[in-house]
Amino acid sequence: MVFGVVAVVFGLLGALGGLMNLVMSFFMTSFMDISTMSGSPPPEVDEMMKEMQQGLEAWVLPMAVLHGLLAVLAVVLLIGGILLMNRRVRARPLLIVWSYAKIVVGVGAALVGYRMNQGQMSAVMGNLPTAGGAPGGGPPIPQIESLMSIFSGVAFFFGVLFTCALPVLFLVWLNREAIRADIDTWEKPAGSGPI
């Protein structure tokens, strides 16, 4: 019951979040449109914003596809949770398939996000002054860039860890001998065959 409730809650939240991210992925470049800004920005800011917008445009389709897949997987998790709460044998194979698919798609989404962030960082770093360090006496640009690369790598690592946590938990739990034996005693729907 607990795992079923967890699956339903995460499935609902994931479906809503996935659909919202899917819609937002088509509008992310419009947020970078500097033509709507009041006044005219300095040339280096104008160039940086254009490069960032072009970098985002290259990732619109992959991000939309991944967010769509994540939304579909969230619906599968929701259905698996409902089946699990109703003690249906079909819950186990459905949640196992969901777990593997979620790991693959989730890691792919984290990788695309990482690559997209690297492109945005390159656009920003390429348009900052390099002589003598950052404006205002801050650390030199190479140090900032390596610090941002480390931060981006750490964020990617924790993103993968967070993405894989629930699927791995379900894989471990559903493959325990006691759980498999218990599921085998559940009522099978009429005409469902061996599953």
Side-chain angles (χ1 to χ4, degrees), residues 7-195:
V8 167
V9 169
F10 276 92
L12 280 172
L13 293 175
L16 292 174
L19 289 174
M20 187 173 71
N21 287 332
L22 175 62
V23 171
M24 292 302 293
S25 64
F26 290 108
F27 294 105
M28 67 182 174
T29 56
S30 62
F31 296 124
M32 304 282 303
D33 190 3
I34 59 169
S35 63
T36 59
M37 295 176 147
S38 59
S40 64
E44 58 273 4
V45 173
D46 185 40
E47 183 63 30
M48 179 180 68
M49 296 298 280
K50 283 180 182 173
E51 284 184 31
M52 290 175 74
Q53 188 171 12
Q54 288 170 350
L56 284 176
E57 286 171 357
W59 292 104
V60 168
L61 186 59
M63 288 303 287
V65 169
L66 286 167
H67 288 309
L69 287 173
L70 288 170
V72 168
L73 286 174
V75 171
V76 171
L77 177 61
L78 174 64
I79 293 168
I82 292 169
L83 290 173
L84 197 60
M85 288 183 352
N86 289 322
R87 299 177 63 87
R88 297 295 180 208
V89 178
R90 291 182 181 152
R92 183 177 179 274
L94 183 64
L95 289 171
I96 287 175
V97 168
W98 170 82
S99 297
Y100 287 119
K102 173 68 174 179
I103 290 170
V104 171
V105 176
V107 170
L111 185 59
V112 167
Y114 173 76
R115 297 286 308 275
M116 193 168 67
N117 287 338
Q118 291 293 95
Q120 297 299 293
M121 188 174 63
S122 295
V124 171
M125 291 295 135
N127 288 289
L128 288 177
T130 55
I141 297 303
Q143 290 178 359
I144 294 174
E145 192 167 4
S146 70
L147 190 63
M148 290 179 74
S149 289
I150 290 169
F151 176 75
S152 193
V154 168
F156 169 73
F157 172 76
F158 281 107
V160 168
L161 202 63
F162 180 75
T163 295
C164 295
L166 188 62
V168 168
L169 179 65
F170 269 101
L171 285 172
V172 169
W173 182 72
L174 289 168
N175 285 307
R176 289 180 56 215
E177 193 61 42
I179 299 302
R180 292 173 70 176
D182 183 43
I183 290 174
D184 286 342
T185 66
W186 291 356
E187 180 184 352
K188 296 177 178 67
S192 65
I195 293 181

